[in-house]
């Protein structure tokens, strides 16, 4: 009789021989299909025999079972062991792989929020953005995303922080040894990450998920590091399969389903796409260290207990309590900054298409230092930093309360550098809730010299990120924001000194707030006042070697290019700018290098941008319904307006009557508003009362219109109840509405009831009615304004502010009708009149008047040919032409230099 050991050995030998024989046949051949069929049959039959010889027959069918196969043989690990009949009988069972030799370690249960390091590696030919969006929906998790990280950056994150789960999406292989491609130019083996991963396991790493191809080699290499659990794909995996598995696994596991059952559920749900991707259910597999218990998702408490990501093991026990609402607001803002500026701008930047490592020079003499230190006496006021030094590394060296100035020539990559720094800081903030929230602002919108930087920031948070003023001011006062301020040079020259002074006052008052400021060096050097920051760096021009490498990567003919720049000094200077080098490479198909010589700098800039614009119209995938002339005209009009208003981000809902540039347009706008207001009021009151009374109410309406103004459009984008705001606005409403009722109600009686008799008995009654009218208006105002409390909008699309204002005004109009109707019934006054007044009041306060103004403004501009009818659609198509970039619900030109070029047209 054969022993169990001999039986197992013979069975595995037969299976291994069959796998090798089957794999020698072509993938779609009949021989391979027959071999696979035989292989499945043997596995199923051997499963029945194994069950008879194993103690599993004593296990109940509803028990949770881990079946761990210990083998180092890659051929055997690739077998579809889940096809054993025992897995059909035991629905709570799942297969896992393990090496024969393993070591145990300290079990560290995870707590909320679960800390996840998500590495999104090289994405050539695959989609990793979907993986990111799926992870972002993971509840009670703090996720740090590293997109195409450098080796040192990845190593630092593994060494310096505590992680529960490590996730990788991208390209991987196991041909010779496990290897992941972390960016287009770097691949790392597990051996090259050994020390960092060992440290991560010591710090509590429990699970590694490799949503990438051919992961068994990775799993074998990682097993020697004693990682408790891993999920890998046995073979090359299509995007759709990997993403569907991740989606199903995350949903199941986060809802409390045991780890093994979650993997099985997610794997089996892949059967729904096996018509498109045969054997998809064969790919995911668990790799388990048998010394550890399966991972459990922690229970979510009412408050989110957030471990501070400690630099020392003793600090790991520190916790900071955040309310659910505060945590949600923080995550919303972090997501917005990421989606607007990192995904929307940085990942699509022109000179980010082929990344260049810029040289950095420290400039100690560019900032104002405390205690009057004079750097002219220093031997090294300017110092080139070691090659490979990043802005993130320099910023980190400055310590808590750090501040930095980034200087450079036009097109040197200042904004790109700022956003790269922001990307790193966002990753740390997502991981550690004690870190401030990095937020990008553009100083060009600081246009009022009397406005403090704090007030300006609150306004910008509201208009650009839809954060209510209450929340924004609270974040500022508590110094919870890290300010990334771009475009000091975009502030108008006459206001720039005042802006520097205002920034210094802000820094003095909010000393712990961390700040980074960007400026063109020529504009900054022209200022007499310096910023009170800790350090300054200057982005060096590109070196000849960097220019040559860029040209080779871009596919431009090198000999002709070198000959052209050697003959023209202006061109030599121009190509030192990453922006202009990008423009040359992007426009090269419609451009001869010889055309660039013998031109002045201004002519060369204009020629290059014109060539770039023409090239973008003709490139593949650029579909646009407008003519070239229309596109240029409308973009030129937009650029001029943005330049005159010192705007960097254009929001359709924030268009103001300042767009009206001539008297004819202004009159058209005024007449349009008056027609809508007057016709609405006259038509209603003429039907209710006489023409004279309609004229009276028309005058009242015009007085109210003059009170709310016609030259400012302020959408009401968010509604959220606030008792504090209700109390405040009740008092404000009563102060203004009571005198209004006491004056205009008796006036109405004098004009239409008593025929001019001031001491008529009806006047006394009208005073009581006026008091009730004023009281009711004040109460309605307080209730309505209480609904416009603190909050943050979670979705941003073009012109969202106006659409939200329309919806909000209808809601508040309904509240106004109910409130005024109820009071009319109590005071026995005309119901239709009071409900109409309540409706009008709600429409105005809720943002209805902003919708009317916006509509009339857009109509006038369309009639005069300044904008297209579907403005959002047009601007969105311009992003496909790479003239604009989308920033949330707004748009920016891809570079300020292109905005200036369109403005000169």
């Amino acid at each position: 009789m054969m022993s169990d050991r001999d039986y197992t050995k013979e069975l595995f030998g037969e299976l291994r021989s069959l796998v090798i024989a089957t794999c020698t046949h072509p993938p779609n051949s009949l021989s391979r299909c027959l071999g696979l069929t035989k292989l499945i049959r043997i596995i199923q039959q051997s499963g029945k025999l194994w069950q008879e010889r194993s103690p599993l027959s004593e296990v109940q069918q509803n028990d949770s079972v881990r079946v761990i196969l210990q083998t180092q043989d890659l051929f055997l690990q690739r077998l579809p062991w889940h096809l054993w009949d025992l897995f059909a009988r035991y629905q709570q069972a799942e297969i896992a792989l393990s090496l024969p030799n393993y070591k145990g370690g300290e079990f560290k249960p995870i707590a909320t929020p679960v800390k996840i390091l998500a590495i999104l590696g090289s994405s050539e030919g695959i989609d990793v953005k979907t993986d990111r969006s799926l992870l972002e929906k993971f509840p009670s998790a703090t996720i740090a995303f590293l997109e195409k990280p450098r080796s040192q950056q990845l190593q630092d994150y593994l060494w310096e922080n505590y992680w529960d789960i490590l996730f990788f999406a991208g390209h991987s292989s196991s041909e010779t040894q496990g290897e992941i491609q972390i960016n287009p130019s770097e691949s790392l083996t597990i051996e090259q990450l050994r020390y960092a991963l060992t440290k991560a396991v010591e710090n509590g790493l429990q699970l590694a998920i490799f949503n990438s191809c051919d992961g068994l080699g990775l799993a074998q290499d990682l097993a020697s590091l004693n990682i408790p659990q891993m999920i890998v794909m046995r073979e090359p995996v299509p995007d759709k399969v990997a993403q569907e598995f991740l989606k199903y696994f995350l949903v199941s596991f986060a809802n409390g389903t045991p780890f093994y059952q979650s993997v099985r559920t997610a794997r089996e749900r892949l059967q729904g796409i096996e018509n498109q991707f045969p054997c998809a259910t064969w790919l995911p597999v668990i790799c388990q260290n048998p010394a550890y218990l399966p991972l459990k998702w922690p229970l979510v408490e009412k408050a989110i207990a957030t471990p501070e990501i400690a630099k020392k093991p003793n600090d790991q026990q520190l916790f900071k309590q955040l309310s659910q609402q505060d945590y949600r607001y923080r995550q919303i803002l972090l997501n917005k900054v990421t989606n607007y500026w990192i995904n929307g701008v940085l990942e699509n930047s022109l000179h980010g298409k082929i990344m260049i490592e810029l040289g950095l020079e420290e400039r100690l003499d560019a900032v104002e230092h405390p205690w009057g230190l004079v750097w002219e006496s220093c031997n090294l006021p300017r110092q080139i930093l070691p090659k490979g030094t990043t802005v993130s590394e320099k910023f980190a060296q400055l310590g808590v309360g750090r501040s930095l100035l980034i200087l450079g020539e036009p097109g040197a990559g200042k904004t790109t550098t700022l956003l790269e720094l922001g990307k790193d800081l966002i990753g740390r903030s997502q991981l550690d809730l004690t870190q401030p929230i990095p937020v990008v602002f553009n100083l060009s919108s600081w246009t009022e010299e009397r406005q403090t930087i704090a007030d300006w920031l609150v306004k910008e948070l509201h208009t650009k990120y839809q954060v209510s003023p209450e929340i924004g001011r609270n974040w500022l006062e508590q110094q919870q924001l890290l300010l990334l301020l771009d475009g000091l040079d975009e502030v108008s020259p006459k206001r720039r000194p005042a802006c520097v002074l205002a920034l210094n006052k802000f820094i003095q008052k909010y000393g712990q707030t961390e700040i980074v400021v960007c400026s063109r060096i020529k504009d900054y050097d022209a200022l007499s006042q310096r910023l009170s920051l800790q350090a300054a760096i200057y982005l060096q021009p590109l070196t000849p070697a960097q220019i040559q490498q860029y040209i080779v990567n871009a596919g431009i003919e090198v000999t002709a290019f070198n000959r052209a720049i050697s003959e023209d000094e202006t061109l030599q200077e121009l190509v030192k700018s990453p922006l202009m080098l990008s423009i040359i490479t992007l426009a090269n198909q419609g451009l001869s290098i010889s055309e660039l010589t013998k031109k002045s700098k201004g002519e060369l800039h204009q020629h290059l941008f014109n060539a770039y614009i023409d090239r973008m119209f003709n490139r593949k995938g650029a579909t646009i319904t407008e003519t070239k002339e229309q596109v240029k005209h409308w973009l030129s009009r937009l650029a001029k307006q943005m330049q005159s208003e010192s705007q960097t981000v254009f929001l359709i809902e924030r268009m103001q009557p300042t767009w009206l540039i001539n008297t004819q347009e202004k009159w058209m706008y005024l007449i349009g508003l008056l027609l809508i207001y007057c016709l609405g009021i006259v038509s209603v009151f003429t039907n209710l009362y006489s023409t004279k009374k309609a004229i009276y109410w028309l005058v009242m309406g015009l007085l109210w219109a003059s009170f709310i103004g016609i030259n400012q459009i302020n959408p009401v984008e968010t509604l959220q109840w606030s008792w504090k705001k209700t109390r405040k606005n009740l008092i404000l409403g009563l102060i203004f509405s009571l005198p209004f009722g006491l004056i205009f109600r008796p006036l109405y009686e004098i004009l239409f009831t008593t025929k001019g008799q001031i001491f008529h008995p009806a006047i006394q009654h009208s005073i009581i009615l006026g008091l009730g009218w004023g009281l009711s208006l004040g109460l309605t105002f307080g209730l309505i304004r209480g609904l416009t409390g603190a909050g943050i909008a979670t979705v941003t699309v073009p012109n969202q502010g106006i659409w939200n204002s329309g919806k909000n005004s209808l809601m508040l109009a309904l509240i106004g009708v109910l409130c005024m109707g109820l009071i009319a019934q109590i005071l026995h006054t005309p119901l239709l009149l009071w409900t109409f007044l309540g409706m009008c009041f709600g429409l105005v306060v809720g943002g209805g008047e902003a919708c009317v103004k916006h509509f009339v403004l857009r109509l006038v501009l369309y009639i005069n040919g300044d904008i297209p009818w579907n403005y959002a659609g047009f601007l969105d198509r311009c992003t496909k032409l790479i003239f604009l970039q989308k920033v949330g619900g707004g748009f920016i030109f891809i570079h300020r230099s292109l905005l200036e070029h369109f403005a000169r047209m």
Side-chain angles (χ1 to χ4, degrees):
M1 184 176 178
M2 185 181 297
S3 68
D4 287 351
R5 185 180 182 87
D6 292 338
Y7 166 78
T8 304
K9 186 176 181 180
E10 183 177 313
L11 171 63
F12 279 11
E14 182 181 355
L15 288 172
R16 190 177 191 280
S17 300
L18 184 57
V19 170
I20 295 172
T22 301
C23 292
T24 57
H25 299 297
N28 297 319
S29 66
L30 178 61
S31 299
R32 184 159 186 166
C33 292
L34 291 173
L36 288 171
T37 304
K38 184 178 179 181
L39 182 66
I40 293 169
R41 188 169 62 252
I42 290 177
I43 290 174
Q44 292 172 337
Q45 290 174 352
S46 60
K48 292 178 182 178
L49 294 172
W50 183 82
Q51 289 177 59
E52 295 173 0
R53 297 165 179 263
S54 74
L56 193 62
S57 56
E58 301 174 6
V59 178
Q60 299 299 316
Q61 291 189 3
N62 59 351
D63 289 346
S64 294
V65 179
R66 289 191 298 162
V67 180
I68 301 177
L69 177 67
Q70 291 181 256
T71 178
Q72 202 161 357
D73 194 313
L74 277 174
F75 285 106
L76 295 178
Q77 288 184 349
R78 284 193 165 95
L79 291 175
W81 297 104
H82 63 278
L83 297 176
W84 274 7
D85 287 353
L86 71 93
F87 292 108
R89 183 186 301 177
Y90 296 96
Q91 292 296 315
Q92 304 296 319
E94 179 63 349
I95 188 74
L97 304 176
S98 173
L99 294 182
N101 300 316
Y102 57 87
K103 293 181 181 179
E106 182 185 355
F107 177 72
K108 299 177 180 179
I110 59 177
T112 55
V114 177
K115 300 177 291 297
I116 302 175
L117 176 60
I119 306 164
L120 305 179
S122 177
S123 57
E124 184 178 356
I126 60 175
D127 172 26
V128 298
K129 290 184 178 179
T130 300
D131 296 78
R132 177 178 183 133
S133 64
L134 290 170
L135 286 170
E136 286 174 343
K137 298 174 184 177
F138 216 175
S140 305
T142 298
I143 307 173
F145 289 97
L146 291 182
E147 295 189 25
K148 301 175 186 175
R150 300 180 301 278
S151 173
Q152 186 61 53
Q153 183 186 18
L154 174 56
Q155 299 262 4
D156 289 344
Y157 266 71
L158 289 169
W159 270 98
E160 296 174 5
N161 301 296
Y162 289 81
W163 306 105
D164 298 311
I165 298 175
L166 174 67
F167 175 86
F168 175 81
H171 293 290
S172 64
S173 66
S174 300
E175 291 183 5
T176 55
Q177 57 184 328
E179 185 177 76
I180 59 174
Q181 189 173 358
I182 59 173
N183 61 53
S185 60
E186 280 187 286
S187 293
L188 294 177
T189 64
I190 300 304
E191 183 60 34
Q192 290 172 311
L193 289 168
R194 172 173 293 277
Y195 298 126
L197 286 170
T198 300
K199 183 65 176 177
V201 173
E202 289 176 4
N203 288 341
L205 181 64
Q206 297 290 311
L207 171 65
I209 303 174
F210 287 86
N211 222 27
S212 57
C213 294
D214 198 13
L216 287 175
L218 289 171
Q220 286 203 356
D221 293 342
L222 285 165
S224 63
L225 305 180
N226 295 321
I227 296 179
Q229 286 101 187
M230 291 168 278
I231 300 174
V232 299
M233 299 292 171
R234 284 188 172 96
E235 304 287 348
V237 57
D239 268 358
K240 179 71 172 176
V241 174
Q243 289 156 5
E244 289 295 294
F245 172 79
L246 179 64
K247 177 176 70 177
Y248 296 139
F249 170 73
L250 294 179
V251 169
S252 180
F253 190 41
N255 283 328
T257 306
F259 175 71
Y260 272 68
Q261 187 61 31
S262 295
V263 173
R264 174 169 178 162
T265 299
R267 180 178 55 74
E268 291 181 341
R269 290 193 66 173
L270 295 178
Q271 192 173 40
I273 57 174
E274 284 195 330
N275 288 337
Q276 184 180 1
F277 304 103
C279 299
T281 55
W282 294 23
L283 295 176
V285 65
I286 300 170
C287 297
Q288 175 75 49
N289 184 326
Y292 290 92
L293 294 172
L295 184 67
K296 290 184 179 180
W297 190 257
L299 295 175
V300 180
E301 304 295 339
K302 292 183 179 179
I304 298 175
T306 309
E308 182 178 340
I309 306 306
K311 302 300 179 185
K312 301 177 183 178
N314 292 337
D315 295 335
Q316 194 181 9
Q317 302 302 318
L318 295 177
F319 287 85
K320 180 180 180 179
Q321 295 294 323
L322 281 180
S323 72
Q324 193 80 21
Q325 192 75 297
D326 291 339
Y327 177 77
R328 180 172 176 271
Y329 287 160
R330 178 188 172 91
Q331 291 303 110
I332 289 173
L333 184 57
L334 280 170
N335 288 338
K336 283 189 175 186
V337 177
T338 301
N339 292 328
Y340 293 2
W341 293 103
I342 308 305
N343 299 337
V345 177
L346 178 62
E347 303 299 338
N348 298 302
S349 63
L350 281 183
H351 47 283
K353 302 295 182 185
I354 306 175
M355 293 302 295
I356 306 174
E357 188 178 276
L358 299 175
L360 304 179
E361 178 183 291
E362 187 168 20
R363 296 208 169 183
L364 303 176
D365 55 347
V367 291
E368 182 178 297
H369 292 271
W371 311 300
L373 287 172
V374 181
W375 286 105
E376 284 76 10
S377 60
C378 180
N379 293 327
L380 292 172
R382 299 183 180 185
Q383 194 172 11
I384 296 176
L385 298 179
K387 185 178 179 182
T389 303
T390 65
V391 174
S392 294
E393 291 167 351
K394 178 61 184 175
F395 192 60
Q397 292 170 9
L398 298 174
V400 179
R402 53 207 163 177
S403 56
L404 179 68
L405 174 64
I406 300 175
L407 298 169
E409 304 294 339
K414 298 180 295 297
T415 299
T416 300
T417 301
L418 180 75
L419 295 181
E420 285 176 341
L421 172 61
K423 181 179 177 181
D424 290 341
L425 294 171
I426 288 168
R428 294 185 182 277
S429 295
Q430 287 173 328
L431 167 68
D432 182 1
L433 300 192
T434 64
Q435 294 294 320
I437 308 169
V439 190
V440 181
F441 300 93
N442 198 288
L443 285 164
S444 64
S445 60
W446 187 82
T447 55
E448 301 174 27
E449 293 189 22
R450 295 184 179 180
Q451 187 179 40
T452 66
I453 294 296
D455 290 341
W456 170 76
L457 288 168
V458 171
K459 182 180 178 182
E460 287 295 289
L461 282 168
H462 181 58
T463 57
K464 302 302 193 304
Y465 296 98
Q466 298 77 49
V467 176
S468 70
E470 292 88 345
I471 294 175
R473 190 164 295 282
N474 181 60
W475 276 340
L476 271 179
E477 294 296 331
Q478 306 219 355
Q479 306 195 56
Q480 294 180 16
L481 301 179
L482 193 157
L483 309 177
L484 302 174
L485 307 179
D486 196 15
L488 175 61
D489 53 285
E490 295 177 39
V491 179
S492 68
K494 66 178 182 179
R495 285 192 292 267
R496 207 173 293 148
C499 184
V500 171
L501 186 63
L503 281 169
N504 285 340
K505 287 181 179 179
F506 177 86
I507 292 167
Q508 187 176 15
K509 182 176 180 181
Y510 300 91
Q512 295 179 30
T513 299
E514 299 181 352
I515 301 177
V516 183
V517 181
C518 278
S519 178
R520 290 181 178 179
I521 189 165
K522 183 179 178 181
D523 297 301
Y524 183 76
D525 284 345
L527 295 167
S528 58
Q529 179 77 28
R530 291 285 181 261
L531 285 169
S532 300
L533 302 175
Q534 288 177 258
I537 58 168
Y538 169 69
L539 304 182
Q540 293 184 303
L542 298 179
T543 64
Q546 287 176 311
I547 295 169
Q548 289 293 313
Q549 187 60 50
Y550 193 100
I551 292 300
V552 170
N553 293 340
I556 293 180
E557 208 286 304
V558 178
T559 305
F561 181 82
N562 288 339
R563 185 169 58 250
I565 63 173
S566 65
E567 296 172 357
D568 193 299
E569 292 184 3
T570 304
L571 189 56
Q572 287 176 21
E573 284 300 311
L574 197 70
V575 295
K576 291 180 181 178
S577 160
L579 171 69
M580 299 313 297
L581 194 56
S582 300
I583 292 291
I584 291 172
T585 57
L586 286 169
N588 79 87
Q589 292 186 13
L591 189 68
S592 170
I593 294 297
S594 60
E595 295 177 35
L596 304 181
T597 58
K598 311 305 179 187
K599 286 182 170 63
S600 68
K601 189 174 181 179
E603 291 173 337
L604 193 54
H605 268 91
Q606 185 174 356
H607 184 78
L608 278 171
F609 278 117
N610 284 333
Y612 169 78
I613 291 169
D614 291 338
R615 170 75 183 93
M616 292 302 103
F617 277 117
N618 298 325
R619 72 187 190 92
K620 289 183 180 180
T623 56
I624 193 162
T625 57
E626 296 82 5
T627 65
K628 287 185 182 180
E629 289 70 25
Q630 285 178 320
V631 173
K632 290 180 181 179
H633 171 68
W634 287 331
L635 285 181
S636 175
R637 180 72 174 85
L638 173 62
K640 289 173 182 175
Q641 192 64 34
M642 291 177 68
Q643 199 173 53
S644 69
E645 295 182 4
S646 297
Q647 287 182 342
T648 299
V649 180
F650 172 64
L651 296 165
I652 296 175
E653 59 264 47
R654 295 289 167 177
M655 292 175 69
Q656 299 296 332
T658 51
W659 273 72
L660 307 170
I661 55 177
N662 58 53
T663 306
Q664 179 185 345
E665 289 181 341
K666 292 175 182 177
W667 273 110
M668 289 175 66
Y669 173 70
L670 180 60
I671 292 169
L673 287 179
L674 290 176
L675 282 174
I676 292 175
Y677 289 149
C678 296
L679 289 176
I681 294 173
V682 170
S683 60
V684 170
F685 282 97
T686 301
N687 289 326
L688 290 175
Y689 304 104
S690 65
T691 304
K692 289 183 179 180
K693 291 183 179 180
I695 294 172
Y696 169 81
W697 287 110
L698 174 61
V699 173
M700 296 298 103
L702 292 176
L703 287 173
W704 177 253
S706 65
F707 174 73
I708 62 175
I710 60 172
N711 292 322
Q712 191 70 26
I713 302 176
N714 296 310
V716 178
E717 301 182 42
T718 58
L719 286 183
Q720 186 170 331
W721 183 261
S722 168
W723 280 109
K724 181 179 178 181
K725 200 164 186 179
T726 301
R727 289 193 298 269
K728 178 182 175 182
N729 283 285
L730 272 174
I731 296 170
L732 188 65
L734 292 173
I735 289 173
F736 286 98
S737 61
L738 285 174
F740 182 81
L742 289 171
I743 293 172
F744 288 103
R745 181 64 195 185
L747 180 62
Y748 176 86
E749 295 294 338
I750 291 171
L751 291 175
F752 299 109
T753 303
T754 67
K755 301 185 184 303
Q757 298 181 33
I758 299 176
F759 300 104
H760 194 278
I763 300 299
Q764 185 178 0
H765 179 66
S766 69
I767 292 174
I768 297 173
L769 286 179
L771 186 64
W773 189 24
L775 182 64
S776 60
L777 282 175
L779 290 172
T780 304
F781 178 81
L783 291 171
I784 287 174
R785 293 300 294 172
L787 266 176
T788 57
I792 304 178
T794 55
V795 179
T796 49
V797 294
N799 210 26
Q800 175 181 291
I802 293 299
W803 288 108
N804 282 353
S805 294
K807 291 186 290 186
N808 294 338
S809 65
L810 292 176
M811 184 185 299
L812 296 186
L814 178 60
I815 294 173
V817 167
L818 293 175
C819 290
M820 294 295 283
L822 179 62
I823 294 171
Q825 289 290 87
I826 295 172
L827 297 177
H828 302 290
T829 56
L831 181 63
L832 287 177
L833 170 62
W834 283 55
T835 52
F836 177 75
L837 290 175
M839 181 187 71
C840 292
F841 198 66
L843 287 173
V844 169
V845 175
E849 52 89 19
C851 296
V852 172
K853 293 177 189 175
H854 182 82
F855 170 76
V856 174
L857 174 64
R858 291 268 298 275
L859 182 63
V860 171
L861 292 172
Y862 170 71
I863 291 171
N864 285 278
D866 291 323
I867 62 171
W869 180 253
N870 184 0
Y871 207 6
F874 166 72
L875 295 175
D876 199 49
R877 288 188 288 276
C878 287
T879 64
K880 305 295 189 298
L881 294 172
I882 320 183
F883 296 148
L884 303 175
Q885 289 176 312
K886 205 168 181 181
V887 182
F891 298 87
I892 64 172
F893 280 87
I894 56 163
H895 197 274
R896 181 184 170 192
S897 298
L898 185 63
L899 180 149
E900 292 168 346
H901 178 76
F902 272 109
R904 287 192 294 267
M905 285 185 176

